[in-house]
Amino acid sequence: IHTNVFAKGRRKVFFLSFFFFLLEHEFPILFAFEQGKILEKIGICSQINFVRYMQGVRTLGADQKLFIKDLCFGKVPVRIYQPKAPSSSQRRGVMFFHGGGWTLGSVGKITNTHENLCRSLARESDSVVVSVGYRLAPEHKYPAAYEDCLNATIHFMRNTEHYGVDPARISVCGDSAGGNLAAAVSQTLAGRSDLPKLRAQILIYPHLQALDFNLPSYQQNQGVPLLFRERAAFFALQYLNGDTSHMEEVLEGSHIPIDIKLNYKKWVSPDNIPEKFKARGYKPYVLLDCPTVVYETMKRFCEPNLCPLLAEDAVIQQLPESFILTCEFDVLRDDGLLYKKRLEDNGVRVTWYHLEDGFHGIMNFSNSDWMSFSSGERGLNNIVNFLKSL
């Protein structure tokens, strides 16, 4: 962890608590990426499969306030969380897409952290939550995860009467890679006249672009758990095509031609980040050109279904009311800030909540039996309050 991140005295207690939590619960996963890399090189197993094995399965027991059931929407597995208490009216519906770099997590064997989050959202907001077990990369490359999330959402929209849900109050929600999928699904459905309009999109530290891994937040937080800068690029490449051989070009920014980057500079640029978010240190960098052979393997990074920040204004203008949560100590912070600006510039109502002492993945520790962070609880409370307002 970069020492300057936690230099202030008020962060010392947080740092010590965070360190011991990681030592007990998360370092095995962090180290698993490095161990898996070695095993992959010598041909024993893939890095991703080793991390999935090390992540393991942590199941929770029954919930006194929720009915929890595993189903399939078409070919897509889902887990549904329904409040047991009777309701005098139809409830809100929330389609939840879990994070995990498009490579980790599943329904039925979902990690304890996302299970906790889904249960909390359903209980505290009195909503029906549907967690989607989309296909994972690299076995299933883009656009498999996006297609599964889209198809599951459409199925739910067309069958709300079976779950006591108001079709006019369906929202999409996701964290990290799941925030990417929620944004992409929201954009696709914005132009559909044959379906109900989404009521809202809730994006929790979303990963929204892969053009620039040198934005201020990437520089400031490149070595901050739980998502390192290099790993963010690794996950994006796993989802794109499963090929990480051009990781160096992606990190230095030579994977997209200069003329294309300049075309998107109006949307993806440090100039659009408020100055206060550059105070911890930011060094402008020189644009590098891209070899044609590299761009041929990377050009789908310019597709909005993969990188929603690049959608045209005509699409952004149609998006529903939005909630965006960002964390100060997160490489993806600026993705959220840039999307917030795009939405607001196009007249979309945005509720933004920034955790000044938050880190990537903090929401997964909400209601943890071992440790929780007050900032994560504040984030969850703000999401719940937003849902209740819909």
Side-chain angles (χ1 to χ4, degrees):
I1 301 174
H2 285 186
T3 55
N4 66 317
V5 171
F6 300 101
K8 295 183 180 180
R10 68 188 181 89
R11 304 200 192 280
K12 288 182 180 178
V13 174
F14 169 83
F15 172 77
L16 290 173
S17 299
F18 186 42
F19 175 79
F20 285 116
F21 179 85
L22 291 174
L23 186 65
E24 176 73 15
H25 292 269
E26 296 300 327
F27 275 171
I29 301 302
L30 297 177
F31 290 139
F33 278 95
E34 297 307 316
Q35 297 162 350
K37 186 183 296 184
I38 296 172
L39 293 176
E40 185 170 84
K41 284 183 178 180
I42 61 179
I44 293 180
C45 67
S46 74
Q47 182 183 28
I48 291 297
N49 281 336
F50 183 72
V51 174
R52 289 174 184 164
Y53 171 77
M54 291 296 292
Q55 190 176 41
V57 180
R58 292 171 288 175
T59 59
L60 294 179
D63 192 299
Q64 293 183 348
K65 295 184 177 181
L66 298 173
F67 294 113
I68 301 174
K69 188 173 184 179
D70 292 334
L71 298 173
C72 280
F73 286 176
K75 295 182 179 180
V76 183
V78 300
R79 175 168 286 186
I80 301 180
Y81 307 80
Q82 290 180 278
K84 290 181 178 179
S87 176
S88 59
S89 61
Q90 292 177 313
R91 287 188 164 97
R92 304 171 200 85
V94 180
M95 297 297 300
F96 183 82
F97 312 134
H98 66 79
W102 300 279
T103 65
L104 304 171
S106 64
V107 169
K109 293 183 179 180
I110 198 164
T111 59
N112 188 41
T113 51
H114 284 97
E115 180 77 0
N116 263 331
L117 181 55
C118 289
R119 291 187 183 197
S120 295
L121 289 175
R123 280 195 308 262
E124 303 304 322
S125 71
D126 193 36
S127 302
V128 176
V129 174
V130 179
S131 182
V132 179
Y134 55 85
R135 288 171 291 172
L136 301 176
E139 297 89 345
H140 304 282
K141 302 171 181 60
Y142 168 77
Y146 156 75
E147 290 176 342
D148 285 354
C149 291
L150 176 63
N151 290 335
T153 303
I154 292 174
H155 178 99
F156 187 59
M157 285 179 154
R158 289 175 172 166
N159 294 275
T160 53
E161 69 275 9
H162 299 307
Y163 309 102
V165 168
D166 182 350
R169 292 200 296 165
I170 297 174
S171 301
V172 291
C173 175
D175 68 310
S176 194
N180 167 285
L181 296 167
V185 167
S186 185
Q187 290 180 3
T188 300
L189 294 177
R192 293 283 295 263
S193 59
D194 59 324
L195 294 167
K197 296 294 183 183
L198 283 176
R199 181 62 183 85
Q201 60 175 347
I202 301 169
L203 312 179
I204 305 169
Y205 31 77
H207 191 160
L208 299 172
Q209 60 86 30
L211 267 62
D212 191 345
F213 286 87
N214 290 284
L215 291 168
S217 61
Y218 272 107
Q219 293 188 21
Q220 296 162 346
N221 303 308
Q222 60 181 307
V224 178
L226 298 170
L227 184 64
F228 302 146
R229 173 174 173 261
E230 181 177 335
R231 194 174 304 151
F234 170 84
F235 284 139
L237 288 168
Q238 290 290 334
Y239 183 39
L240 173 69
N241 55 23
D243 180 5
T244 60
S245 61
H246 295 298
M247 173 83 76
E248 182 176 347
E249 289 88 343
V250 170
L251 290 171
E252 70 181 12
S254 62
H255 62 305
I256 302 293
I258 289 180
D259 60 329
I260 294 178
K261 283 187 283 190
L262 290 175
N263 181 55
Y264 287 119
K265 188 177 180 180
K266 57 189 175 183
W267 300 330
V268 186
S269 170
D271 296 339
N272 293 339
I273 303 295
E275 289 301 315
K276 67 178 182 179
F277 290 105
K278 303 174 188 176
R280 285 196 289 120
Y282 164 66
K283 184 179 179 180
Y285 60 96
V286 178
L287 291 178
L288 301 175
D289 209 349
C290 169
T292 301
V293 64
V294 174
Y295 176 60
E296 283 302 310
T297 66
M298 302 286 171
K299 59 186 178 182
R300 298 195 79 179
F301 273 148
C302 296
E303 296 182 13
N305 287 341
L306 180 54
C307 294
L309 186 56
L310 307 184
E312 295 295 329
D313 285 344
V315 174
I316 300 294
Q317 291 165 5
Q318 300 181 67
L319 292 176
E321 183 176 353
S322 304
F323 179 99
I324 298 177
L325 183 141
T326 55
C327 294
E328 179 61 27
F329 302 108
D330 180 7
V331 292
L332 299 183
R333 180 198 68 198
D334 293 349
D335 281 27
L337 295 178
L338 291 172
Y339 204 49
K340 170 181 176 288
K341 175 175 170 51
R342 287 219 59 203
L343 291 165
E344 291 175 337
D345 288 349
N346 282 278
V348 178
R349 183 179 178 182
V350 178
T351 298
W352 171 55
Y353 192 71
H354 183 64
L355 297 177
E356 293 185 355
D357 53 353
F359 55 91
H360 191 84
I362 193 169
M363 297 302 300
N364 292 349
F365 303 136
S366 297
N367 296 322
S368 168
D369 293 334
W370 193 88
M371 174 182 287
S372 62
F373 297 92
S374 60
S375 55
E377 297 301 324
R378 293 196 308 272
L380 177 60
N381 290 338
N382 273 267
I383 294 171
V384 168
N385 290 336
F386 175 78
L387 278 170
K388 287 181 175 180
S389 72
L390 301 177

